[in-house]
Amino acid sequence: MQYIPSDSKLLPDQQVIHEMRHLRLSIIIPVYNEERTIAQILDKIRGVKLIQNIEKEVIIVNDQSKDNSERIIKDYILRHPEFSIQYYSLPVNSGKGAAVHVGISHVTGDFMLIQDADLEYDPYEYNVLLMPLVENIADVVYGSRFIGGNPHRILFFWHTIGNKLLTFVANMCANLNLTDMCTGYKVFKTSLVQQFILKEKRFGFDPEITLKVAKIKYVRIYEVGISYYGRTYKEGKTINWKDGVRTIYCILKYGMLKRRTTLPEPGLAVRSKVGVIV
């Protein structure tokens, strides 16, 4: 699949093809007890106009919420039939990573990202994340909460230290220089992610996908600055120190994998699956 960058040096026939072809962004939303915010996040996503008329495909996966999330989602779908939303519900509570796995299996877009339903991340920044992908200078884009001049809610000192520690260990294992490995905003070329056999069903998803992506030869990873509207525990935040310990374990586990796969040389598009990383 070829992504033609918007470059004035392109031949006229290439420019016409670029303008006529509509790319698609698949947005995976894992949901667990988000009755207070799920409709708001869907409104935000629906209201975003993406660059180059990129189409939106929303895939919601309910991880057996115990509140009214399911009813609210189904009502929203009925009220907005013009909005492309797929809805799936896990048979048992299995974790955020498991919900994301289901979402990935139904993705049809050229690019995919994960959107938490809790309003900590702003869909109006999708275009900032998409730009390096659309211009074909990146295969993966991470939205960093620690770079740039965007709004960032001041919350927990030890969470910040933990984030930086986890990112440091991941960078050491992957030979990267990320500033925010744990960010909720990661955007991928879909063909890149769908070659993986993903295993982590909870918060181990972040280190697993990061370490596996880093092992692809010629992969181009970029970071852009994003806003962060974090929550307190009273407002619904659930992550704790046990998740941090599991993340360290997953970093070491997947950082020790030796298998690599190869993308085409930088500047060429990913045309097909190039192997499987387990």
Side-chain angles (χ1 to χ4, degrees):
M1 182 179 296
Q2 187 176 11
Y3 303 99
I4 303 175
S6 54
D7 190 325
S8 60
K9 295 181 181 180
L10 291 177
L11 297 174
D13 61 331
Q14 290 179 310
Q15 291 176 344
V16 170
I17 292 172
H18 176 65
E19 291 171 2
M20 292 180 62
R21 186 182 187 284
H22 289 295
L23 299 172
R24 178 180 297 169
L25 172 67
S26 296
I27 303 159
I28 300 172
I29 308 179
V31 172
Y32 181 69
N33 294 345
E34 302 290 357
E35 64 179 4
R36 293 182 299 174
T37 57
I38 183 61
Q40 295 178 63
I41 200 69
L42 289 173
D43 281 341
K44 282 178 172 285
I45 295 171
R46 189 165 55 90
V48 173
K49 181 173 177 56
L50 300 179
I51 53 175
Q52 297 191 10
N53 293 317
I54 294 176
E55 299 172 352
K56 289 172 287 190
E57 169 188 67
V58 175
I59 302 169
I60 302 174
V61 184
N62 185 4
D63 189 21
Q64 277 297 304
S65 295
K66 298 177 181 178
D67 62 4
N68 290 317
S69 294
E70 182 170 63
R71 178 182 59 80
I72 293 170
I73 292 166
K74 289 182 175 180
D75 287 347
Y76 194 96
I77 293 172
L78 289 174
R79 286 187 287 110
H80 300 282
E82 80 291 348
F83 191 26
S84 176
I85 302 178
Q86 301 176 45
Y87 177 70
Y88 303 95
S89 182
L90 299 183
V92 295
N93 179 260
S94 304
K96 177 181 177 179
V100 171
H101 296 173
V102 172
I104 291 173
S105 70
H106 291 92
V107 162
T108 65
D110 303 278
F111 313 121
M112 57 154 284
L113 69 77
I114 299 157
Q115 172 71 61
D116 290 340
D118 55 17
L119 299 178
E120 289 191 335
Y121 296 88
D122 189 355
Y124 288 112
E125 295 180 324
Y126 285 174
N127 286 326
V128 177
L129 294 156
L130 284 168
M131 186 62 73
L133 290 156
V134 170
E135 295 296 330
N136 197 28
I137 61 173
D139 303 303
V140 181
V141 178
Y142 278 43
S144 175
R145 296 165 289 179
F146 303 121
I147 61 175
N150 296 323
H152 186 145
R153 184 178 181 183
I154 302 302
L155 285 171
F156 308 113
F157 171 79
W158 289 111
H159 279 200
T160 301
I161 296 300
N163 259 304
K164 292 184 180 297
L165 174 63
L166 296 174
T167 299
F168 174 81
V169 178
N171 282 336
M172 184 173 60
C173 290
N175 193 26
L176 298 176
N177 64 339
L178 293 169
T179 63
D180 192 4
M181 186 271 294
C182 299
T183 178
Y185 267 174
K186 300 176 176 72
V187 190
F188 307 89
K189 288 183 176 177
T190 299
S191 55
L192 193 76
V193 175
Q194 288 184 334
Q195 69 183 278
F196 298 137
I197 298 175
L198 297 170
K199 300 178 180 179
E200 296 300 321
K201 295 185 177 181
R202 297 190 182 275
F203 289 100
F205 171 82
D206 289 319
E208 180 184 11
I209 194 72
T210 299
L211 271 297
K212 287 183 175 180
V213 163
K215 290 183 182 298
I216 299 178
K217 194 174 182 181
Y218 301 130
V219 71
R220 298 165 298 170
I221 306 173
Y222 274 66
E223 274 189 328
V224 296
I226 60 168
S227 306
Y228 181 62
Y229 304 92
R231 296 187 296 178
T232 64
Y233 286 100
K234 184 177 180 180
E235 293 167 334
K237 199 170 190 68
T238 58
I239 196 167
N240 58 47
W241 65 269
K242 294 179 181 178
D243 299 308
V245 172
R246 177 66 187 182
T247 300
I248 288 282
Y249 167 78
C250 290
I251 292 171
L252 298 176
K253 174 182 177 181
Y254 297 106
M256 293 176 184
L257 293 176
K258 300 299 182 183
R259 278 187 76 179
R260 298 177 68 90
T261 188
T262 304
L263 287 182
E265 294 286 349
L268 298 180
V270 180
R271 296 184 181 275
S272 63
K273 296 181 181 179
V274 289
V276 174
I277 298 179
V278 296

